[in-house]
Structures are given as structure tokens and as C-alpha cells.
Amino acid sequence: MVPGWTGRSRRFERDALPHLPALYRMARQLVGVEAADDLIQETYLRAWRYFETFDAATNCRAWLFRILRNVWINRWRKSRLELPLAETGEEQVEPYYDWEDDFLRDEMSAEVERALSELPADYRLAILLADVEEFTYEEIARVTDCPIGTVMSRLNRGRKMLARLIRTYGEAKGTGPKPDEFVRRKL
Amino acid sequence: MMDCKNIREILDLYVDGELSPEATVQADTHLAECPACRNTVAGLNRLRQGVKAAVGQYQPTLQLVDRVRQSTISRWTHVRSWVPITAAVMLFAALVSLFSSQVRGVVANGLEVAAFHLDDSRATVMEGKLLCRDCLLKDEYGYHAMCPTRGHHGSLQTRDGKVWNILEGEASEELIHNSKLLGRTVRIHGRCFRRASSVEVDSYEVL
């Protein structure tokens, strides 16, 4: 124990600081490498300020991600205009994930990141919370302050959109299959 | 019984582990029999793994971690801990140093110097008991007092136990040499010379 530390400091060290790498990963995808440090700094300052209100019986990681999202919306997102999420009809027959066995097994991180950055921010956030941070739908709903149905919808549409973009970038790179190489099937 | 269309509708729920146990069993049953749907599930899982691999490769710099610590817990640590730590160290050092007679001497001299500066050669009123200086020294240190042959030598002992020499003078003649006054309480008006532990008498009154 460090002399002079308050109980609050010890709890913050134990409960909040270990999640910094996970929050950083998310920050980087939301605002880019240049602003990620600032977003993290501000998130932790706010977390520290309100740490007394945090219920230790609940999930600290989800609490921190919720703060991160709020800081991001208040500081960064409002400065960037985004088109509203189009409620397009389902494309029932497109086999989004039916790529060949070796596709996406190769080194395609750059294409995946580029595709992620092209997604509407709410879709991107839902996908990152589910696939990278492995939050439950209920936790994602709390973090993003929306109903679970909306979470499900964002994940479904976002993943399909992401798959389509990755396929496009994969084709451009020459590592992915040509469009006509995909086997379309009716469901 | 689920078919391919049902699986497509609950695909995300299935890979995210959000289906009920019953629905999961039904989906597993269908997937065991349907290579096309198995392929779709595998493709979606590869997409999820691809996202995780692409995003998970980044780590915060040590500078960022330090900066966050400094701006949160460490800031309070510095403010709150240094004051009591410094005070405790100083107190401990002071206590330890008092075990050394040299340090005690230095401290005593220092206090004396401070006292001289605060109160030296000033007009003062001192009150105390008149006692024989030589007899005191004899009692305390075994000093070979000449009182039986030369007579007593009056001095002033103040309440703090300190013994003050009374300087010779017209006004102090009785105080020093009249042994009948010994043991009486007197109030002296005069000047105090702390460095010489002496008092010059302008006037006095026997209380």
C-alpha cells in the first residue's frame, strides 16, 4: 500500500485503471489515433470525479465504457455530421458471411479497420462492444443508452455492412474472392 | 424445428450466446444437419475474430497510462501524503536527535539565542523567592560554600526553577546580603540580562 492513499485511490487503482487498455482500443476506433489519448484522459478524469457514485456491486468496465461514450458524444461526435442510419430493407438472399475458407484468415487487419471506420458510428460502437469487449446485449444497451432491440438491430445491420465493405476492400487488395466466386443461395 | 431462414434471423443472437438454452439446442440441431448454415456461422465468427484481431492489436502508451494515473489517483497521493510524511519524518528526526547530548546542547543554545533576541536587556518585572546562591549550589552539586564565614549571597529563583544572579548595586544591597530576607518572595523591577542569567535591580518589594 502506498502511504497516504485514500480508500478511493485504492479502489480506483484496483477497479478502474485495469480497463485502460480496453478503453483505449475503443477510443482509437472512435476518434482515431490522434485524439484517442485525449478521449481516454477525459474519460478517466470524469470517472475519477464521479467515482464515489459508482456502485461497486455493478460492472466497472461497463460503467467506464458508458462514460467514454458520453464524453465521445459530447466532445467529439457533435463536431462531425453523420448521415442518419438508413433503415433499408433486408437483403434476404445475399450470403454476407459465405466467403471462402482462407478469406479473412490472412492478414487483413488494415481492411477490417478501414471497413470499421466506414460504418455509421452507432453500428461500429455496437460491434466493438460485442465482438471485441464481449459485452452482453443488456450491457451494450446500458452503455449505449438504448433498448436491447436497437442493439440487436445495430449488430445485425452493422455486421452485414462490415462484411460487404471488407469483401470490397479484399477484392481491391486481391486477397479476396471475386464477387462471382461467391455461391449465392436462396434461403 | 428450425430451418435455414430461422437460423438467418437469429444468427447474431446465436454467435453472441444470447439465445435461450432451448433455442440454442434447436439451432445446434439444424446446424449439425446443414453444411450451408454451418458455413455461414463459421463465416460470421471469422468476421468477429477478424474485428477483434484488428482492434485488439493496439495498446496504450506508457506515457498515457502515467498521465492518467497522475491526473487521478497520484494527484491526491501527492497532496495528501507529503504533508503527514514530512511532518512525521521531522518529528522522528527531532526525537532521535534529542538522545544525543551534543544535539541537546545545540538545541538549548539555539533556544537561548532565540530567547535573547526576544527578551534581552529589557526593563522587566521579575517575581520569585530569594535564596542563597551558594547554599543552592552546595545542595545540588556539593559546592564548597563559604556562607558560614562570608555570609549568604541572595539570588532570585523564579517559578520556572531558574536562579538569577542579582547584580551588586545600591538598590540590591539588602537583597544580596540581608540573610533575613532569604526565603521571602520578592518582586524586582529592573533589567534582565539573560545571557548572564543576571538581573539589575532598580527597586523591589517584599511580598
Side-chain angles (χ1 to χ4, degrees), chain B residues 4-78:
Chain B
C4 296
K5 188 171 184 300
N6 297 141
I7 287 286
R8 167 134 336 235
E9 287 168 358
I10 50 91
L11 196 58
D12 293 290
L13 291 162
Y14 178 76
V15 298
D16 289 327
E18 295 277 345
L19 280 181
S20 67
E22 297 78 17
T24 304
V25 170
Q26 289 182 36
D28 285 340
T29 304
H30 175 79
L31 289 170
E33 297 167 354
C34 180
C37 283
R38 272 206 307 278
N39 193 41
T40 301
V41 168
L44 177 52
N45 277 327
R46 262 157 58 198
L47 175 71
R48 296 168 71 230
Q49 286 157 13
V51 169
K52 193 165 189 173
V55 173
Q57 63 182 318
Y58 299 111
Q59 291 291 321
T61 61
L62 287 177
Q63 288 88 343
L64 175 62
V65 176
D66 278 348
R67 202 149 54 106
V68 168
R69 290 179 66 92
Q70 289 293 329
S71 61
T72 54
I73 53 177
S74 299
R75 183 173 54 178
W76 281 65
T77 302
H78 289 154

Side-chain angles (χ1 to χ4, degrees), chain B residues 17 24 26 29 40 55 62 80 82 86 104 108 120 126 132 134 137 161-162 165 169 175 182 197:
Chain B
T24 304
Q26 289 182 36
T29 304
T40 301
V55 173
L62 287 177
R80 293 203 162 188
W82 278 108
T86 307
R104 280 206 306 272
D120 194 14
M126 300 178 79
C132 173
D134 294 2
L137 292 174
K162 190 163 185 172
N165 287 315
L175 291 175
L182 292 178
S197 298

Side-chain angles (χ1 to χ4, degrees), chain A residues 9 26 33 38 42 47 77 89 125 138 161 169 172 176:
Chain A
S9 297
M26 177 65 80
V33 63
D38 289 342
E42 195 164 334
R77 200 181 175 193
L125 185 59
E138 194 179 341
M161 199 181 290
Y169 299 146

Side-chain angles (χ1 to χ4, degrees), chain B residues 83-104:
Chain B
V83 174
I85 287 174
T86 307
V89 166
M90 289 175 69
L91 183 63
F92 182 71
L95 287 173
V96 168
S97 66
L98 288 179
F99 285 99
S100 158
S101 59
Q102 284 182 331
V103 173
R104 280 206 306 272

Side-chain angles (χ1 to χ4, degrees), chain A residues 3-6 9 12-13 17 20-21 24-25 28 37 41 44-45 48 94 96-101 103-104 109 113 116 128 131-132 134 136-137 152 156 159 162 166 185 187, chain B residues 4 8 11-13 15-16 18 36-37 39-40 43-44 46-48 50-61 64-65 67-69 71-73 75-77 80-81 85:
Chain A
W5 272 29
T6 60
S9 297
F12 198 79
E13 168 92 357
L17 288 183
L20 200 154
Y24 176 78
R25 285 197 295 263
R28 206 180 148 115
D37 283 13
Q41 178 85 43
Y44 267 98
L45 275 176
W48 172 252
E94 187 176 345
Y96 299 96
Y97 313 120
D98 291 356
W99 28 54
E100 289 186 335
D101 282 350
F103 189 62
L104 258 178
S109 287
E113 267 201 278
L116 273 170
L128 293 172
D131 293 349
V132 181
E134 299 180 354
T136 64
Y137 286 7
M152 291 163 63
N156 181 263
R159 282 169 173 163
L162 184 66
I166 290 173
R185 60 193 172 92
L187 298 175
Chain B
C4 296
R8 167 134 336 235
L11 196 58
D12 293 290
L13 291 162
V15 298
D16 289 327
E18 295 277 345
C37 283
N39 193 41
T40 301
L44 177 52
R46 262 157 58 198
L47 175 71
R48 296 168 71 230
V51 169
K52 193 165 189 173
V55 173
Q57 63 182 318
Y58 299 111
Q59 291 291 321
T61 61
L64 175 62
V65 176
R67 202 149 54 106
V68 168
R69 290 179 66 92
S71 61
T72 54
I73 53 177
R75 183 173 54 178
W76 281 65
T77 302
R80 293 203 162 188
S81 66
I85 287 174

